[in-house]
Amino acid sequence: MSLILFAFVVRVRDGLPLSASTDFEHNRELQERKQQLRTISKSLACFPDRGTVKGQQLNIYFISSEGVSYMTVCHCSLPVAKAFCFLEDLHWEFTACFNSTVVALAARPYPFLEFDSTIQKLKQQYNQSGGPALEVTLVEVQEDLRRNPPQVINLDEVQLNNGIANGHIEQGPASGQNQRLEPVSAPGILSLVLNIMCASLNVIRGMHLIEYTFQDDYEGMWNVVAFLLAFVCCVFQCHLYLFHSSLKKLKSFALLNVIVLCNFYLLGMRNVWQVIFHISVASISTVLILTRKLQDRANDCGV
């Protein structure tokens, strides 16, 4: 019976999968543990460098070093020291093949999938002999675990820290790259076109007015400011619709209010229908910004 069933290498800062062993077993608990690995990998920055998750028949163990975490699913009959010895060997094998710069620059899941062959050889060595070839390594790991035992991880805390599983905690700016908005809709494309049109009208009128303002003792300076401010707000509305941002609701309402105020101020420069058009476009854009949600991304750990 195999004692080490699955191994997984991920980047700590964002949980990007770097490599994984090929999965030949498909029992239910193993699939559950692999799902838990995915959840834990997204919260590794919140945990110490060494941890474990207890299961019925299968346990999860992980260590993190130099921005990379090495994780494994093992049968509960495998001694803890041997599981961590396997992870230490996996760590040394990986660092011998890939430096920290290459890891940091990785942009897609599983860029080092060829490392699977090394993982398989290491797994086979442990599963056949029950441990590492050098017993002195095992003794050192046992002593280290005695002095600094791994933290036992509670999966409920993992999901809370992750913030993605329960949907109640917004991710910080550092993890924004992992969040993807729903595809742009047809009304969204129309609002972008209209917003660009409004922005163009505002900047053209503003730049044209500057020429006369400098000739007439700056009497129309506030009109120039209103045109250019409305232009900037239209551009930011386009940005808010296209890209995820924190405090999206507050920003979108602030932009709408500024556009409304600017257009009311420019009522003498524009007729009522022009003002209604600009405010309507801004209002529609605000609604679409608020209704465009983050999409649920499929988990990357599919090996």
Side-chain angles (χ1 to χ4, degrees):
M1 179 185 67
S2 298
L3 298 179
I4 298 175
L5 287 82
F6 184 71
F8 191 36
V9 183
V10 300
R11 189 165 61 191
V12 171
R13 77 166 189 260
D14 54 6
L16 179 74
L18 302 175
S19 187
S21 61
T22 303
D23 184 13
F24 295 108
E25 301 189 38
H26 300 280
N27 68 71
R28 182 176 179 180
E29 188 177 359
L30 176 59
Q31 300 309 312
E32 291 176 357
R33 296 293 167 263
K34 289 175 66 177
Q35 179 63 41
Q36 291 168 356
L37 279 180
R38 303 181 188 113
T39 303
I40 295 170
S41 67
K42 297 176 183 177
S43 299
L44 284 167
C46 302
F47 297 114
D49 293 339
R50 191 161 51 195
T52 180
V53 178
K54 299 292 185 181
Q56 292 181 332
Q57 296 294 322
L58 305 177
N59 297 334
I60 293 174
Y61 304 97
F62 68 87
I63 62 171
S64 299
S65 177
E66 300 175 344
V68 178
S69 187
Y70 308 89
M71 315 177 78
T72 185
V73 178
C74 301
H75 196 273
C76 60
S77 62
L78 181 72
V80 175
K82 290 185 178 180
F84 280 102
C85 197
F86 168 75
L87 292 176
E88 289 290 348
D89 282 343
L90 186 61
H91 163 223
W92 288 112
E93 292 283 357
F94 187 83
T95 53
C97 297
F98 310 103
N99 59 48
S100 58
T101 302
V102 174
V103 172
L105 293 176
R108 59 181 178 82
Y110 302 105
F112 313 125
L113 199 55
E114 68 275 10
F115 187 68
D116 168 47
S117 59
T118 303
I119 300 177
Q120 294 299 114
K121 290 177 183 177
L122 198 59
K123 278 177 54 183
Q124 186 176 10
Q125 176 184 332
Y126 273 78
N127 287 329
Q128 289 181 352
S129 64
L134 300 176
E135 291 298 329
V136 63
T137 306
L138 180 59
V139 172
E140 291 174 355
V141 172
Q142 286 174 327
E143 179 61 23
D144 189 29
L145 290 174
R146 187 186 64 80
R147 293 195 307 266
N148 301 301
Q151 177 177 329
V152 178
I153 306 299
N154 185 324
L155 280 176
D156 292 334
E157 295 177 1
V158 172
Q159 293 175 346
L160 184 61
N161 287 331
N162 188 28
I164 299 174
N166 55 31
H168 296 301
I169 299 177
E170 187 174 15
Q171 287 185 311
S175 55
Q177 61 186 356
N178 286 336
Q179 295 182 307
R180 212 176 264 181
L181 291 165
E182 294 174 341
V184 176
S185 62
I189 295 174
L190 179 61
S191 74
L192 288 172
V193 172
L194 293 175
N195 235 329
I196 293 171
M197 182 187 302
C198 290
S200 301
L201 292 172
N202 285 321
V203 73
I204 291 171
R205 289 291 303 275
M207 297 305 292
H208 183 70
L209 195 59
I210 287 176
E211 181 180 345
Y212 292 95
T213 299
F214 287 141
Q215 296 175 1
D216 296 335
D217 297 329
Y218 306 100
E219 291 180 0
M221 180 58 71
W222 288 111
N223 290 331
V224 174
V225 171
F227 276 120
L228 296 183
L229 189 57
F231 160 73
V232 171
C233 289
C234 289
V235 172
F236 271 104
Q237 277 197 321
C238 293
H239 182 273
L240 273 183
Y241 180 74
L242 291 173
F243 303 101
H244 174 68
S245 174
S246 60
L247 303 176
K248 180 173 67 174
K249 184 180 292 186
L250 178 63
K251 292 176 182 177
S252 59
F253 279 121
L255 292 173
L256 175 61
N257 287 330
V258 173
I259 291 174
V260 170
L261 291 174
C262 287
N263 278 278
F264 275 122
Y265 184 81
L266 294 168
L267 192 55
M269 304 288 296
R270 284 175 168 158
N271 61 44
V272 174
W273 293 110
Q274 289 174 328
V275 170
I276 291 175
F277 172 75
H278 281 267
I279 293 176
S280 298
V281 171
S283 301
I284 293 171
S285 296
T286 300
V287 171
L288 292 172
I289 289 169
L290 296 176
T291 54
R292 192 179 182 209
K293 305 297 184 183
L294 290 169
Q295 68 178 2
D296 294 328
R297 294 188 64 187
N299 290 310
D300 291 326
C301 184
V303 175

